[in-house]
Amino acid sequence: FGILEETTVGNCEMGAIIGVFEYFGRNAFYVVNNDRETEQEIILHFKQKAFYQVISAKENRVEQEFTCNLKLEAGNAALVLMKGE
């Protein structure tokens, strides 16, 4: 999972929980907004342009970017599934 360089979290005090694992043979990140009261933006910064799919309660999108911007409501999560590794 060396493609992830760093993360930016809107509320550093409450933070985010990021699980890293393999999902159906592909690398994946499960990103949870640990703030139970406020929506926050969580950004995954990749070392190179990455091809990925974001799956959450509100969206299902595929992108190819250097960052993955997630806007998660309080306590919600998103699965970021790497597609082009």
Side-chain angles (χ1 to χ4, degrees):
F1 300 95
I3 194 165
L4 184 63
E5 186 169 54
E6 68 179 10
T7 59
T8 304
V9 180
N11 180 349
C12 291
E13 188 173 305
M14 294 307 293
I17 299 170
I18 302 174
V20 181
F21 57 98
E22 191 173 298
Y23 184 78
F24 290 105
R26 293 188 277 177
N27 294 333
F29 302 97
Y30 191 71
V31 183
V32 181
N33 177 0
N34 198 47
D35 190 331
R36 295 180 304 183
E37 297 177 1
T38 309
E39 174 183 270
Q40 68 174 325
E41 185 173 17
I42 301 164
I43 304 170
L44 305 180
H45 301 268
F46 302 119
K47 292 178 183 174
Q48 61 197 44
K49 199 172 217 183
F51 185 45
Y52 59 86
Q53 179 178 8
V54 175
I55 303 167
S56 71
K58 287 193 160 190
E59 64 181 336
N60 185 344
R61 63 182 157 100
V62 175
E63 293 188 329
Q64 189 169 10
E65 299 292 339
F66 284 97
T67 60
C68 175
N69 299 336
L70 303 168
K71 192 167 253 189
L72 298 175
E73 292 182 6
N76 282 358
L79 176 68
V80 179
L81 183 58
M82 306 311 291
K83 298 184 77 70
E85 298 177 278

